[in-house]
Amino acid sequence: MTAYDMAKRVFAKEGIDTEKALNTLANIPVSVHCWQGDDVIGLDGAGSLSGGIQTTGNYPGRARNFEELKADIREAFSLMPGKLRLNLHASYAILNGEKVDRNAYRPEHFTPWVEFAKELDLDGIDFNPTMFSHPMVKGGLTLSSPDDEVRKFWVDHCISCLKIAEYFAAETGSHCMVNIWIPDGFKDVPADRLTPRLRLKDSLDKILSCGYNRDKVTVAVESKVFGIGVESYTVGSNEFYQNYAAKNDICCLLDNGHYHPLEYVSDKIPALLAFYDKLALHVTRGVRWDSDHVVILDDELKEIAKEIVRNNAIGKVMIGLDYFDASINRLSAWVTGQRSMQKALLQALLTPHDKLRKLQDDGDFTLLMIEQERIKDLPFFAVWEEYLKRQGKQEEYYPEIRKYEKEELSKR
Ligand code: RNT
Ligand code: ZN
């Protein structure tokens, strides 16, 4: 008997069908961010990283251009099991020397990415307006700026992103999620907290009224508690966006680095599922702040996956990754984070939720605790190994990455 055969029996005793879990896992798309490969610098050369976010480390081999980034994604994706989407930022436009600014980007600036997504047979492409690292971010403000010209520039940018998203959807035959995140906020105690939010509301209204295809394009808004240099006030706060999204029938994106350290996105998922058909995630790992460390299989990741699986929210919760570590091999960062996400989902799929829920409803919290602890030792790894085998992947991926590092990254 193989380890998997044995594990299959163990899980069957718990009332879990491992075959079903493996098939389900293979069909949950994870949207992998392109920006791990180049430290969020982008390809449109508009400016160095700003917006209160930061990549730390200088591990050699950062992708410096489109070809290198594509090569790295190709390599990293080849080591990732499961269904993959590519999450792009507008700053990854391929301009080929054309003098065009972000308020006027067009679908053709992303045609090479579409070709690439087809080459890799990806499930789809997701998209993000890039409202940082650009001279039109004035005083740290974009959609909430008091300057009409600045606001207009970024409204136009978002509208052009929606058009590009429609193009992605048409080309890939899959929906496209457009996530709006702005860095707007203040370092110190503001004199007016309301007006910037009203301006943001007005800008969002203008963007949403451009007439995009709501069946193909899902707009999400991503809140945040604070950023570096914007510690005292964030215009796009959690309460602001949740209310805006609810009233305008769009979607919330929860980034688990964007809350106070003792607030958990795993707890917010069910709260939102009570009101929304869809929600989106940026799965990251904040260490003391929104540090965007590589996602690992920690308790919060496991809880997040459980909330998706046990609430029948696969497909309702769009899973995206968002981290950037420049202190280790960037491909390894990509692969480790994506695999951790998949592992957490697999563990959630192999958990007897109905049994546990019943214990909660019966008020048997003693047995619930015993069971939740016991389940931690079930042979998940044997099922994971089987999953990798069926996906044509190896458990060990470092040798391949080392080889790529020697042959490719070390020459940069
Ligand atoms: C920033 C947000 C945002 C970015 C990416 C690059 O705090 O998390 O999602 O990380 O868009
Ligand atoms: Zn994010």
Coordinates of all heavy atoms in Angstrom, one line a residue, residues 17-102:
D17 N -13.7 12.2 1.6 CA -13.3 11.6 0.3 C -12.1 12.3 -0.3 O -12.2 13.4 -0.8 CB -14.5 11.6 -0.6 CG -14.2 11.0 -2.0 OD1 -13.0 10.7 -2.3 OD2 -15.1 10.9 -2.8
T18 N -10.9 11.7 -0.2 CA -9.7 12.4 -0.6 C -9.7 12.6 -2.1 O -9.1 13.6 -2.6 CB -8.4 11.6 -0.2 OG1 -8.6 10.2 -0.7 CG2 -8.2 11.5 1.3
E19 N -10.3 11.7 -2.9 CA -10.3 11.9 -4.3 C -11.1 13.2 -4.7 O -10.7 13.9 -5.5 CB -11.0 10.7 -5.0 CG -10.2 9.4 -5.0 CD -8.9 9.6 -5.8 OE1 -9.0 10.1 -6.9 OE2 -7.8 9.2 -5.3
K20 N -12.2 13.4 -4.0 CA -13.0 14.6 -4.2 C -12.2 15.8 -3.8 O -12.2 16.8 -4.6 CB -14.3 14.5 -3.4 CG -15.3 15.4 -3.9 CD -16.6 15.1 -3.1 CE -17.4 16.4 -2.9 NZ -18.3 16.5 -1.8
A21 N -11.5 15.7 -2.7 CA -10.6 16.8 -2.3 C -9.6 17.2 -3.3 O -9.4 18.3 -3.7 CB -10.0 16.5 -0.9
L22 N -8.9 16.2 -3.9 CA -7.9 16.4 -4.9 C -8.4 17.0 -6.1 O -7.8 18.0 -6.7 CB -7.2 15.1 -5.2 CG -6.3 14.5 -4.1 CD1 -5.8 13.1 -4.5 CD2 -5.2 15.4 -3.8
N23 N -9.6 16.6 -6.5 CA -10.2 17.2 -7.7 C -10.6 18.6 -7.5 O -10.5 19.5 -8.4 CB -11.4 16.4 -8.2 CG -11.0 15.0 -8.8 OD1 -9.8 14.9 -9.3 ND2 -11.8 14.0 -8.7
T24 N -11.2 18.9 -6.3 CA -11.6 20.2 -6.0 C -10.4 21.2 -6.0 O -10.4 22.2 -6.6 CB -12.4 20.3 -4.7 OG1 -13.4 19.3 -4.7 CG2 -12.9 21.6 -4.4
L25 N -9.4 20.7 -5.3 CA -8.2 21.6 -5.2 C -7.6 21.9 -6.5 O -7.2 23.1 -6.8 CB -7.1 20.8 -4.3 CG -5.9 21.7 -4.1 CD1 -6.2 22.9 -3.3 CD2 -4.8 20.8 -3.3
A26 N -7.6 21.0 -7.4 CA -7.0 21.2 -8.8 C -7.8 22.3 -9.5 O -7.3 22.8 -10.5 CB -7.0 19.9 -9.6
N27 N -9.0 22.6 -9.1 CA -9.9 23.5 -9.8 C -10.1 24.9 -9.1 O -10.9 25.6 -9.6 CB -11.2 22.9 -10.2 CG -11.0 21.9 -11.3 OD1 -10.5 22.3 -12.4 ND2 -11.3 20.6 -11.1
I28 N -9.4 25.1 -8.0 CA -9.5 26.4 -7.3 C -8.4 27.3 -7.9 O -7.2 27.1 -7.7 CB -9.3 26.3 -5.8 CG1 -10.3 25.3 -5.2 CG2 -9.5 27.6 -5.2 CD1 -10.1 25.0 -3.7
P29 N -8.8 28.3 -8.6 CA -7.8 29.2 -9.2 C -7.1 30.1 -8.1 O -7.7 30.6 -7.2 CB -8.5 30.1 -10.2 CG -10.0 29.8 -10.1 CD -10.2 28.8 -9.0
V30 N -5.8 30.2 -8.3 CA -5.1 31.1 -7.4 C -4.4 32.1 -8.4 O -3.7 31.8 -9.4 CB -4.0 30.4 -6.6 CG1 -3.1 31.4 -5.9 CG2 -4.6 29.4 -5.6
S31 N -4.7 33.4 -8.1 CA -4.1 34.5 -9.0 C -2.8 34.9 -8.4 O -2.7 35.4 -7.3 CB -5.1 35.7 -9.0 OG -4.8 36.5 -10.0
V32 N -1.7 34.6 -9.2 CA -0.4 34.9 -8.8 C 0.1 36.2 -9.3 O 0.0 36.5 -10.5 CB 0.6 33.7 -9.2 CG1 2.0 34.0 -8.8 CG2 0.1 32.4 -8.7
H33 N 0.6 37.0 -8.4 CA 1.0 38.4 -8.7 C 2.3 38.4 -9.4 O 3.2 37.7 -9.1 CB 1.1 39.2 -7.4 CG 2.0 38.5 -6.4 ND1 2.0 37.1 -6.0 CD2 3.1 39.0 -5.6 CE1 2.9 36.8 -5.2 NE2 3.6 37.9 -4.9
C34 N 2.3 39.3 -10.5 CA 3.6 39.3 -11.3 C 4.7 40.1 -10.5 O 5.8 40.0 -10.8 CB 3.3 40.1 -12.6 SG 2.9 41.8 -12.4
W35 N 4.3 40.9 -9.5 CA 5.2 41.8 -8.9 C 6.2 41.3 -7.9 O 7.1 42.0 -7.5 CB 4.5 43.1 -8.3 CG 3.4 42.8 -7.4 CD1 3.5 42.7 -6.0 CD2 2.0 42.6 -7.7 NE1 2.2 42.5 -5.5 CE2 1.3 42.5 -6.5 CE3 1.2 42.6 -8.9 CZ2 -0.1 42.3 -6.4 CZ3 -0.2 42.5 -8.8 CH2 -0.8 42.3 -7.6
Q36 N 6.1 40.0 -7.6 CA 7.2 39.4 -6.8 C 8.5 39.3 -7.5 O 9.6 39.3 -7.0 CB 6.8 38.0 -6.3 CG 7.9 37.1 -5.8 CD 8.6 37.6 -4.5 OE1 8.0 37.9 -3.5 NE2 9.9 37.8 -4.6
G37 N 8.4 39.2 -8.9 CA 9.6 39.0 -9.7 C 10.6 40.2 -9.8 O 11.7 40.0 -10.1
D38 N 10.0 41.4 -9.7 CA 10.9 42.6 -9.9 C 10.8 43.6 -8.8 O 11.1 44.8 -9.0 CB 10.5 43.2 -11.3 CG 9.2 44.0 -11.2 OD1 8.3 43.6 -10.3 OD2 9.0 45.0 -11.9
D39 N 10.4 43.2 -7.6 CA 10.3 44.0 -6.5 C 9.3 45.2 -6.7 O 9.6 46.4 -6.3 CB 11.7 44.6 -6.1 CG 12.7 43.4 -5.9 OD1 12.3 42.3 -5.8 OD2 13.9 43.7 -5.8
V40 N 8.2 45.0 -7.4 CA 7.1 45.9 -7.6 C 7.6 47.1 -8.4 O 7.0 48.2 -8.3 CB 6.5 46.4 -6.3 CG1 5.0 46.7 -6.5 CG2 6.5 45.3 -5.2
I41 N 8.6 47.0 -9.2 CA 9.1 48.2 -9.9 C 8.3 48.5 -11.2 O 8.1 49.6 -11.6 CB 10.6 48.0 -10.2 CG1 11.3 48.2 -8.8 CG2 11.1 49.1 -11.2 CD1 12.8 48.0 -8.8
G42 N 7.9 47.4 -11.9 CA 7.1 47.6 -13.1 C 7.9 47.8 -14.3 O 9.2 47.9 -14.3
L43 N 7.2 47.9 -15.5 CA 8.0 48.0 -16.8 C 7.7 49.4 -17.5 O 8.3 49.6 -18.5 CB 7.5 46.9 -17.7 CG 7.8 45.5 -17.2 CD1 7.1 44.4 -18.1 CD2 9.3 45.2 -17.0
D44 N 6.9 50.2 -16.9 CA 6.6 51.5 -17.6 C 7.5 52.6 -17.2 O 7.4 53.7 -17.7 CB 5.1 51.9 -17.5 CG 4.7 52.3 -16.1 OD1 5.5 52.2 -15.2 OD2 3.5 52.7 -15.9
G45 N 8.5 52.3 -16.4 CA 9.5 53.3 -16.0 C 9.1 54.6 -15.5 O 9.7 55.6 -15.6
A46 N 7.9 54.6 -14.8 CA 7.3 55.9 -14.4 C 8.0 56.4 -13.1 O 8.0 57.6 -12.9 CB 5.8 55.7 -14.2
G47 N 8.5 55.5 -12.3 CA 9.1 56.0 -11.1 C 9.5 54.9 -10.1 O 9.2 53.7 -10.4
S48 N 10.3 55.2 -9.1 CA 10.7 54.2 -8.1 C 9.5 54.0 -7.2 O 8.6 54.8 -7.0 CB 11.9 54.6 -7.4 OG 11.7 55.8 -6.8
L49 N 9.6 52.8 -6.5 CA 8.5 52.4 -5.6 C 8.1 53.4 -4.6 O 8.9 53.9 -3.8 CB 8.8 51.1 -4.9 CG 7.7 50.4 -4.2 CD1 6.5 50.1 -5.1 CD2 8.2 49.1 -3.5
S50 N 6.8 53.8 -4.6 CA 6.3 54.7 -3.6 C 4.9 54.3 -3.1 O 4.5 53.2 -3.5 CB 6.2 56.2 -4.2 OG 5.0 56.2 -5.0
G51 N 4.3 55.0 -2.3 CA 2.9 54.7 -1.9 C 2.9 54.0 -0.5 O 1.8 53.4 -0.1
G52 N 4.0 54.1 0.2 CA 3.9 53.6 1.6 C 4.1 52.1 1.7 O 3.9 51.5 2.7
I53 N 4.5 51.5 0.5 CA 4.8 50.0 0.6 C 6.3 49.9 0.3 O 7.0 50.8 -0.3 CB 4.0 49.2 -0.5 CG1 4.2 49.8 -1.9 CG2 2.6 49.2 -0.1 CD1 3.4 49.1 -3.0
Q54 N 6.9 48.8 0.7 CA 8.3 48.6 0.6 C 8.8 47.2 0.4 O 8.3 46.3 1.1 CB 9.0 49.2 1.8 CG 10.5 49.4 1.6 CD 11.1 50.5 2.4 OE1 10.6 50.8 3.5 NE2 12.0 51.3 1.9
T55 N 9.7 47.0 -0.5 CA 10.3 45.7 -0.7 C 11.7 45.8 0.0 O 12.4 46.8 -0.2 CB 10.6 45.4 -2.2 OG1 9.3 45.6 -2.8 CG2 11.0 44.0 -2.4
T56 N 12.0 44.8 0.8 CA 13.4 44.9 1.4 C 14.2 43.7 1.0 O 13.7 42.6 0.8 CB 13.3 44.9 3.0 OG1 12.5 43.8 3.4 CG2 12.7 46.2 3.5
G57 N 15.5 43.9 0.9 CA 16.5 42.9 0.5 C 17.0 43.2 -0.9 O 16.4 44.0 -1.7
N58 N 18.2 42.6 -1.2 CA 18.7 42.8 -2.5 C 19.4 41.5 -3.0 O 20.5 41.4 -3.5 CB 19.8 43.9 -2.5 CG 20.9 43.7 -1.5 OD1 20.8 42.7 -0.8 ND2 21.8 44.6 -1.5
Y59 N 18.6 40.4 -2.9 CA 19.0 39.1 -3.4 C 19.3 39.3 -4.9 O 18.5 39.9 -5.6 CB 17.9 38.1 -3.2 CG 18.4 36.7 -3.3 CD1 19.0 36.0 -2.2 CD2 18.3 36.0 -4.5 CE1 19.5 34.7 -2.3 CE2 18.8 34.7 -4.6 CZ 19.3 34.1 -3.5 OH 19.8 32.8 -3.7
P60 N 20.4 38.8 -5.5 CA 20.6 39.0 -6.9 C 19.6 38.3 -7.8 O 19.0 37.3 -7.4 CB 22.0 38.3 -7.1 CG 22.4 37.6 -5.8 CD 21.4 38.0 -4.8
G61 N 19.5 38.9 -9.0 CA 18.7 38.3 -10.0 C 17.3 38.9 -10.3 O 16.5 38.3 -11.0
R62 N 17.0 40.1 -9.8 CA 15.8 40.7 -10.0 C 15.5 40.8 -11.5 O 16.4 41.1 -12.3 CB 15.8 42.1 -9.4 CG 14.5 42.9 -9.6 CD 14.6 44.3 -9.1 NE 15.2 45.2 -10.0 CZ 14.7 45.7 -11.1 NH1 13.4 45.5 -11.3 NH2 15.3 46.5 -11.9
A63 N 14.3 40.5 -12.0 CA 13.9 40.7 -13.4 C 14.0 42.1 -13.7 O 13.3 43.0 -13.1 CB 12.6 40.1 -13.6
R64 N 14.7 42.5 -14.8 CA 14.9 43.9 -15.1 C 14.1 44.3 -16.3 O 14.1 45.5 -16.7 CB 16.4 44.2 -15.4 CG 17.3 44.0 -14.2 CD 18.7 43.8 -14.6 NE 18.9 42.7 -15.5 CZ 20.0 42.3 -16.1 NH1 21.1 43.0 -15.8 NH2 20.1 41.3 -16.9
N65 N 13.5 43.4 -17.0 CA 12.7 43.7 -18.2 C 11.7 42.7 -18.5 O 11.6 41.7 -17.7 CB 13.7 43.9 -19.4 CG 14.5 42.7 -19.6 OD1 14.0 41.5 -19.6 ND2 15.9 42.9 -19.7
F66 N 10.9 42.9 -19.5 CA 9.8 42.0 -19.8 C 10.2 40.6 -20.0 O 9.7 39.6 -19.5 CB 9.0 42.6 -21.0 CG 7.8 41.8 -21.4 CD1 6.9 41.3 -20.4 CD2 7.5 41.5 -22.7 CE1 5.7 40.6 -20.8 CE2 6.3 40.8 -23.1 CZ 5.5 40.4 -22.1
E67 N 11.3 40.5 -20.8 CA 11.8 39.1 -21.2 C 12.2 38.4 -19.9 O 11.9 37.2 -19.8 CB 12.9 39.2 -22.2 CG 12.4 39.6 -23.6 CD 11.2 38.8 -24.1 OE1 11.2 37.6 -24.0 OE2 10.3 39.4 -24.7
E68 N 12.9 39.0 -19.1 CA 13.4 38.4 -17.9 C 12.2 38.0 -16.9 O 12.2 36.9 -16.4 CB 14.4 39.2 -17.1 CG 15.8 39.3 -17.8 CD 16.8 40.2 -17.1 OE1 16.5 40.8 -16.1 OE2 17.9 40.3 -17.6
L69 N 11.3 38.9 -16.8 CA 10.1 38.7 -16.0 C 9.3 37.5 -16.5 O 8.9 36.6 -15.7 CB 9.3 39.9 -15.9 CG 8.1 39.9 -14.9 CD1 8.6 39.5 -13.4 CD2 7.4 41.2 -14.8
K70 N 9.2 37.5 -17.8 CA 8.4 36.3 -18.4 C 9.1 35.0 -18.1 O 8.5 34.0 -17.8 CB 8.3 36.6 -19.9 CG 7.0 37.3 -20.3 CD 6.7 37.1 -21.8 CE 7.8 37.4 -22.7 NZ 7.3 37.4 -24.1
A71 N 10.5 35.1 -18.3 CA 11.2 33.8 -18.1 C 11.1 33.3 -16.7 O 10.9 32.2 -16.4 CB 12.7 34.1 -18.5
D72 N 11.1 34.3 -15.8 CA 11.0 33.9 -14.3 C 9.6 33.4 -14.0 O 9.5 32.4 -13.3 CB 11.4 35.1 -13.4 CG 12.8 35.5 -13.6 OD1 13.6 34.8 -14.3 OD2 13.2 36.5 -12.9
I73 N 8.6 34.0 -14.6 CA 7.2 33.6 -14.3 C 7.1 32.2 -14.9 O 6.5 31.3 -14.3 CB 6.2 34.6 -14.9 CG1 6.3 35.9 -14.1 CG2 4.8 34.0 -14.9 CD1 5.4 37.0 -14.7
R74 N 7.6 32.0 -16.1 CA 7.5 30.7 -16.8 C 8.1 29.6 -15.9 O 7.5 28.6 -15.7 CB 8.2 30.8 -18.1 CG 7.7 29.9 -19.2 CD 8.6 30.0 -20.5 NE 8.0 31.0 -21.4 CZ 8.7 32.1 -21.8 NH1 9.9 32.4 -21.4 NH2 8.1 33.0 -22.6
E75 N 9.3 29.9 -15.4 CA 10.0 28.9 -14.6 C 9.2 28.7 -13.2 O 9.0 27.6 -12.8 CB 11.4 29.5 -14.3 CG 12.2 28.6 -13.4 CD 12.6 27.3 -14.0 OE1 12.5 27.1 -15.2 OE2 13.0 26.4 -13.2
A76 N 8.8 29.8 -12.6 CA 8.2 29.7 -11.3 C 6.8 29.0 -11.4 O 6.5 28.0 -10.7 CB 8.0 31.0 -10.6
F77 N 6.0 29.3 -12.4 CA 4.7 28.7 -12.6 C 4.9 27.2 -12.9 O 4.0 26.5 -12.6 CB 4.0 29.4 -13.8 CG 3.2 30.7 -13.3 CD1 3.8 31.5 -12.4 CD2 2.0 31.1 -13.9 CE1 3.2 32.7 -12.0 CE2 1.3 32.2 -13.5 CZ 1.9 33.1 -12.5
S78 N 6.0 26.8 -13.6 CA 6.1 25.4 -13.9 C 6.3 24.6 -12.6 O 6.2 23.4 -12.7 CB 7.3 25.2 -14.8 OG 8.5 25.3 -14.1
L79 N 6.6 25.3 -11.5 CA 6.8 24.5 -10.3 C 5.6 24.6 -9.4 O 5.6 24.2 -8.2 CB 8.0 25.1 -9.6 CG 9.3 24.9 -10.3 CD1 10.5 25.7 -9.7 CD2 9.7 23.5 -10.5
M80 N 4.5 25.3 -9.9 CA 3.3 25.5 -9.0 C 2.2 24.5 -9.5 O 1.8 24.5 -10.6 CB 2.8 26.9 -9.2 CG 3.7 28.0 -8.7 SD 3.0 29.6 -9.1 CE 4.4 30.7 -8.6
P81 N 1.6 23.8 -8.5 CA 0.5 22.9 -8.9 C -0.8 23.7 -8.9 O -0.9 24.8 -8.4 CB 0.5 21.9 -7.7 CG 1.0 22.7 -6.5 CD 2.0 23.7 -7.1
G82 N -1.8 23.1 -9.6 CA -3.1 23.8 -9.5 C -3.4 24.7 -10.7 O -2.6 25.0 -11.6
K83 N -4.6 25.3 -10.6 CA -5.1 26.3 -11.6 C -4.5 27.7 -11.3 O -4.7 28.2 -10.2 CB -6.6 26.3 -11.5 CG -7.2 26.6 -12.8 CD -8.7 26.6 -12.7 CE -9.4 25.7 -13.7 NZ -10.8 25.8 -13.8
L84 N -3.9 28.2 -12.3 CA -3.2 29.5 -12.1 C -3.8 30.7 -12.9 O -4.1 30.5 -14.1 CB -1.7 29.4 -12.5 CG -0.9 28.4 -11.6 CD1 0.4 28.1 -12.2 CD2 -0.7 29.0 -10.2
R85 N -3.8 31.8 -12.3 CA -4.2 33.1 -13.0 C -3.0 34.0 -12.9 O -2.2 33.8 -12.0 CB -5.4 33.7 -12.4 CG -6.7 32.8 -12.5 CD -7.8 33.4 -11.8 NE -8.3 34.7 -12.3 CZ -9.1 34.9 -13.3 NH1 -9.6 33.8 -13.9 NH2 -9.5 36.1 -13.7
L86 N -2.9 35.0 -13.7 CA -1.8 36.0 -13.6 C -2.4 37.3 -13.1 O -3.3 37.8 -13.8 CB -1.0 36.1 -14.9 CG 0.1 37.1 -14.9 CD1 1.2 36.7 -13.9 CD2 0.7 37.2 -16.3
N87 N -1.8 37.9 -12.1 CA -2.3 39.1 -11.6 C -1.3 40.2 -12.0 O -0.2 40.2 -11.6 CB -2.4 39.1 -10.1 CG -3.4 40.1 -9.5 OD1 -4.0 40.9 -10.3 ND2 -3.6 40.1 -8.2
L88 N -1.8 41.1 -12.9 CA -0.9 42.2 -13.4 C -1.2 43.5 -12.8 O -2.4 43.8 -12.5 CB -1.1 42.3 -14.9 CG -0.6 41.1 -15.8 CD1 -0.9 41.4 -17.3 CD2 0.9 41.0 -15.7
H89 N -0.2 44.4 -12.8 CA -0.4 45.8 -12.5 C -0.3 46.6 -13.8 O 0.4 46.2 -14.7 CB 0.6 46.3 -11.5 CG 0.1 46.6 -10.1 ND1 -0.6 47.8 -10.0 CD2 0.1 46.0 -8.9 CE1 -1.0 47.9 -8.7 NE2 -0.5 46.8 -8.0
A90 N -1.0 47.7 -13.8 CA -0.9 48.5 -15.0 C 0.5 49.0 -15.3 O 0.9 49.2 -16.5 CB -1.8 49.8 -14.8
S91 N 1.3 49.1 -14.3 CA 2.7 49.5 -14.5 C 3.5 48.5 -15.2 O 4.7 48.7 -15.5 CB 3.4 49.8 -13.1 OG 3.3 48.7 -12.3
Y92 N 2.9 47.3 -15.6 CA 3.6 46.3 -16.4 C 3.2 46.4 -17.8 O 3.4 45.5 -18.6 CB 3.4 44.9 -15.8 CG 4.1 44.8 -14.4 CD1 3.5 45.3 -13.3 CD2 5.4 44.2 -14.3 CE1 4.2 45.2 -12.0 CE2 6.0 44.1 -13.1 CZ 5.4 44.6 -12.0 OH 6.1 44.6 -10.8
A93 N 2.7 47.6 -18.2 CA 2.4 47.8 -19.6 C 3.7 47.7 -20.5 O 4.7 48.1 -20.1 CB 1.8 49.2 -19.8
I94 N 3.5 47.2 -21.7 CA 4.6 47.1 -22.6 C 4.5 48.2 -23.6 O 3.6 48.2 -24.6 CB 4.6 45.7 -23.4 CG1 4.4 44.6 -22.4 CG2 5.8 45.5 -24.2 CD1 5.5 44.4 -21.4
L95 N 5.2 49.3 -23.4 CA 5.0 50.5 -24.2 C 5.8 50.6 -25.5 O 5.5 51.4 -26.4 CB 5.2 51.7 -23.3 CG 4.4 51.8 -22.0 CD1 4.7 53.0 -21.2 CD2 2.9 51.8 -22.4
N96 N 6.9 49.8 -25.5 CA 7.8 49.8 -26.7 C 8.2 51.2 -27.1 O 8.1 51.6 -28.3 CB 7.1 49.1 -27.9 CG 7.1 47.6 -27.6 OD1 8.0 47.0 -27.1 ND2 6.0 46.9 -28.0
G97 N 8.5 52.0 -26.2 CA 9.0 53.4 -26.5 C 7.9 54.4 -26.8 O 8.2 55.6 -26.9
E98 N 6.7 54.0 -26.9 CA 5.6 55.0 -27.1 C 5.4 55.9 -26.0 O 5.5 55.6 -24.8 CB 4.3 54.2 -27.3 CG 3.1 55.1 -27.8 CD 1.8 54.3 -27.8 OE1 1.8 53.1 -28.1 OE2 0.7 55.0 -27.6
K99 N 5.2 57.2 -26.3 CA 5.0 58.2 -25.3 C 3.5 58.3 -24.9 O 2.7 59.0 -25.5 CB 5.4 59.6 -25.8 CG 6.9 59.8 -25.9 CD 7.5 60.7 -24.8 CE 9.0 60.6 -24.7 NZ 9.6 59.2 -24.5
V100 N 3.2 57.5 -23.9 CA 1.8 57.4 -23.5 C 1.8 57.3 -22.0 O 2.6 56.6 -21.4 CB 1.0 56.3 -24.2 CG1 1.8 55.0 -24.0 CG2 -0.4 56.2 -23.7
D101 N 0.9 58.1 -21.3 CA 0.9 58.0 -19.8 C -0.2 57.1 -19.3 O -1.0 56.6 -20.1 CB 0.8 59.4 -19.3 CG 1.5 59.6 -17.9 OD1 1.8 58.5 -17.3 OD2 1.8 60.7 -17.5
R102 N -0.2 56.9 -18.0 CA -1.1 55.8 -17.5 C -2.5 56.2 -17.7 O -3.4 55.3 -17.6 CB -0.8 55.6 -16.0 CG 0.5 54.9 -15.8 CD 0.7 54.5 -14.3 NE 2.0 54.0 -14.0 CZ 2.6 53.9 -12.9 NH1 1.9 54.3 -11.8 NH2 3.8 53.4 -12.7

